[in-house]
Amino acid sequence: MSKHLKVAIIGSGPSGYYAAEALLKSETTGAPPVEIDILDRLPTPYGLIRGGVAPDHQSIKGVAKRFEKTSSHEKCRFIGHINVGKDISLDTLKTMYDAVVIATGAPLDRNLGIAGEDKYGVIGSASLVGWYNSHPDFANLKPNLDIKDVVVIGNGNVAIDVARVLAKTADEMAASDLASHAAEVIHTAKLENIWLVGRRGPMEGKFTQKELGEMGELENCVTVAKLEQIPDEIGEVGEKEIPAKTKNLAHLQSFTTNVSGEKPMTLHVEFYARPVEILGGDKVEGVRFERTKVENGQCVGTGENFDIPCQMVVPCIGYLSEPIEGAAFNQGKGKFKSVEGVVDDNLYVVGWAKRGPSGTIGTNRLDAKAVMDIVLAKTSCSMKQGGVALDQYIKDNDLKTVCFDDWKKIEMEEESLASDPSPRAKIPHIKEMFKVIEK
Ligand code: NAP
């Protein structure tokens, strides 16, 4: 019988690393020692931190240093470039480890479910954000930004991120790690109008005040809101929400005095509009919206339609997890089925894969800790071989995996290729990453 609890974590994003951290910390409170393998389908760790967080929000990316500390623990390995469900089945992994934790996030775009969504020029936020963040899956996206008008649908922080990254100048992005292929396209584009469209009202917006405030400080882009859509007061909101809503309202009120066209680009903030159809032939020519009102917090159609002409639409309306064969999945909600993170015997789920795409990076810490407490309570050490069995499987199946030291080579190369003040020039293609590892 081994003295160690063998745990495999699938996914090296925030929820995966926070789960590992919780398990390692538990040793100090008398729990059995753990041996952890964090698996990722990419050769690079950190998931959303690297591929989702906006390239100009470097301070948020700083949490990677904390995850690196976890990876440097002698009982925690990062094994990249292994796809669970493809290179190795979940069932096989479950026979190797005492507990397996799904921490794969929610990488897929949720559909609008309206006519015309398949037209050229409709690009979901997962794809566009992945593209400008050098995610290998989207490095070849090649969006056409030789256009004048873009509609961004949604009133969450992702919608704001997308609008801001499209609006910022090269100078404003100099200290970011924006993909070079995206910088070339975005900073030579001649965009004139970006619409940020919410189906409910200003007080129902899910954006946070810091992100909304940034929209008022853009060098090349003026943000305008319609006076008639912005209330004088925040109205009835929960006690805890008062400070944030008050700041959001102040930002939106300040946008009402701005004038469209004051700068080369205008960001139009439009509320009470739900998309009903994407217009055009093969290519997007506009979006038809139905004017809405909010009743008891719900979006209610008024029957009045209007169109916004545009050549690109970016729905930023939330994400779905990707099912893995062998794990119960709720198709409707786009997340794994679990009871407080327990999927079945020795299978668990944390983060967005468990609760859907909500909360900040830090939300995943408490979430992962709660599920890992259950793992520790339910699991005992067994004869399972954990990493030894996985290493043998990798060898037998000739898989080309990546260890944390390999990743550090990629990281060093990216840092050395960056021009000051950018922190890194990300390598977008897996082949190129392997060239760096092997040189
Ligand atoms: P989100 O915050 O849930 O926002 C989704 C938006 O899409 C909402 O405004 C929602 O409207 C709208 N929507 C959903 N379905 C729609 C439809 N069919 N038609 C029109 N609009 C629709 O999601 P997110 O922006 O993807 O962000 C995901 C999570 O990551 C959030 O917790 C967010 O705060 C976090 N995040 C944080 C940061 C940051 O801290 N800087 C940056 C990016 C993301 P309703 O409200 O009416 O449903």
Side-chain angles (χ1 to χ4, degrees):
M1 184 85 67
S2 164
K3 280 197 219 123
H4 287 88
L5 213 59
K6 314 279 188 340
V7 182
I9 297 174
I10 310 168
S12 68
S15 63
Y17 265 103
Y18 279 130
E21 187 183 296
L23 290 171
L24 291 168
K25 276 191 180 162
S26 71
E27 292 181 16
T28 57
T29 60
V34 287
E35 278 177 14
I36 304 168
D37 284 337
I38 304 179
L39 281 57
D40 203 292
R41 70 186 178 89
L42 293 180
T44 53
Y46 310 142
L48 200 70
I49 302 298
R50 181 173 164 94
V53 170
D56 57 336
H57 279 179
Q58 287 298 316
S59 59
I60 300 179
K61 289 177 191 258
V63 72
K65 285 283 161 226
R66 177 180 180 139
F67 299 155
E68 181 167 336
K69 214 172 144 200
T70 301
S71 257
S72 65
H73 191 288
E74 55 169 350
K75 293 293 180 193
C76 181
R77 300 192 302 174
F78 167 74
I79 304 172
H81 203 233
I82 180 164
N83 192 334
V84 177
K86 200 168 151 213
D87 296 321
I88 183 168
S89 74
L90 192 55
D91 285 345
T92 306
L93 212 57
K94 283 167 71 182
T95 63
M96 295 173 173
Y97 291 85
D98 298 316
V100 175
V101 181
I102 297 172
T104 47
L108 308 177
D109 277 311
R110 191 175 275 285
N111 287 334
L112 283 166
I114 60 174
E117 208 170 347
D118 54 349
K119 292 188 195 306
Y120 177 81
V122 181
I123 303 179
S125 54
S127 308
L128 195 76
V129 171
W131 170 72
Y132 65 56
N133 266 331
S134 297
H135 191 297
D137 287 358
F138 307 104
N140 293 327
L141 185 72
K142 296 191 175 62
N144 176 18
L145 276 171
D146 189 13
I147 55 172
K148 294 205 177 337
D149 315 289
V150 176
V151 166
V152 177
I153 297 175
N155 267 180
N157 278 332
V158 170
I160 297 244
D161 281 352
V162 165
R164 187 184 67 252
V165 170
L166 291 179
K168 274 192 171 179
T169 61
D171 274 357
E172 286 175 297
M173 293 300 277
S176 79
D177 59 2
L178 178 68
S180 58
H181 56 243
E184 274 167 33
V185 176
I186 294 172
H187 300 143
T188 53
K190 302 271 184 291
L191 283 180
E192 291 176 7
N193 298 293
I194 301 174
W195 274 270
L196 184 70
V197 188
R199 63 179 172 181
R200 296 191 290 157
M203 290 301 97
E204 284 77 36
K206 288 182 172 162
F207 33 64
T208 43
Q209 58 94 11
K210 175 184 167 285
E211 280 65 23
L212 190 60
E214 285 179 82
M215 304 313 285
E217 297 161 4
L218 301 170
E219 197 178 300
N220 218 20
C221 177
V222 60
T223 299
V224 295
K226 290 177 171 164
L227 186 60
E228 67 272 23
Q229 291 190 340
I230 310 299
D232 295 332
E233 291 175 359
I234 54 172
E236 276 183 37
V237 297
E239 184 80 22
K240 273 191 188 162
E241 288 187 291
I242 293 174
K245 294 286 180 197
T246 303
K247 285 177 187 153
N248 274 358
L249 182 58
H251 289 309
L252 290 166
Q253 284 171 339
S254 74
F255 300 157
T256 62
T257 54
N258 291 341
V259 178
S260 174
E262 258 175 9
K263 294 184 182 178
M265 207 184 296
T266 301
L267 182 104
H268 310 261
V269 183
E270 179 76 41
F271 295 103
Y272 304 109
R274 76 169 164 213
V276 290
E277 187 181 348
I278 310 284
L279 307 170
D282 294 342
K283 292 182 185 172
V284 171
E285 289 173 19
V287 184
R288 178 153 300 154
F289 289 94
E290 181 182 16
R291 186 57 78 201
T292 62
K293 56 186 175 179
V294 175
E295 284 178 2
N296 299 322
Q298 302 297 310
C299 163
V300 178
T302 63
E304 177 204 335
N305 287 352
F306 67 100
D307 298 345
I308 298 180
C310 66
Q311 303 80 46
M312 184 191 277
V313 182
V314 189
C316 305
I317 59 165
Y319 300 115
L320 307 169
S321 296
E322 195 165 13
I324 304 176
E325 198 182 332
F329 195 78
N330 183 329
Q331 290 290 349
K333 295 194 169 158
K335 59 183 186 180
F336 290 88
K337 281 186 191 167
S338 79
V339 178
E340 290 173 7
V342 182
V343 180
D344 59 43
D345 346 321
N346 66 336
L347 184 63
Y348 302 84
V349 61
V350 290
W352 282 11
K354 166 180 167 249
R355 60 173 204 279
S358 65
T360 61
I361 305 286
T363 311
N364 295 297
R365 191 173 62 81
L366 292 180
D367 178 281
K369 164 90 173 68
V371 180
M372 291 311 102
D373 285 346
I374 299 175
V375 170
L376 291 167
K378 275 177 58 95
T379 319
S380 44
C381 303
S382 70
M383 298 301 288
K384 291 186 180 179
Q385 287 200 305
V388 173
L390 181 66
D391 289 349
Q392 190 61 49
Y393 180 96
I394 289 169
K395 203 169 160 205
D396 292 348
N397 290 277
D398 215 8
L399 300 178
K400 202 171 169 184
T401 57
V402 164
C403 65
F404 202 75
D405 285 346
D406 292 334
W407 148 246
K408 290 300 287 177
K409 287 186 193 168
I410 298 172
E411 187 183 50
M412 272 174 60
E413 178 80 358
E414 290 184 340
E415 285 171 359
S416 73
L417 291 173
S419 328
D420 197 45
S422 170
R424 63 190 71 79
K426 281 190 201 162
I427 301 170
H429 297 288
I430 291 178
K431 263 190 188 168
E432 300 300 318
M433 293 179 193
F434 274 103
K435 276 190 197 158
V436 172
I437 292 169
E438 285 155 12
K439 92 176 166 188

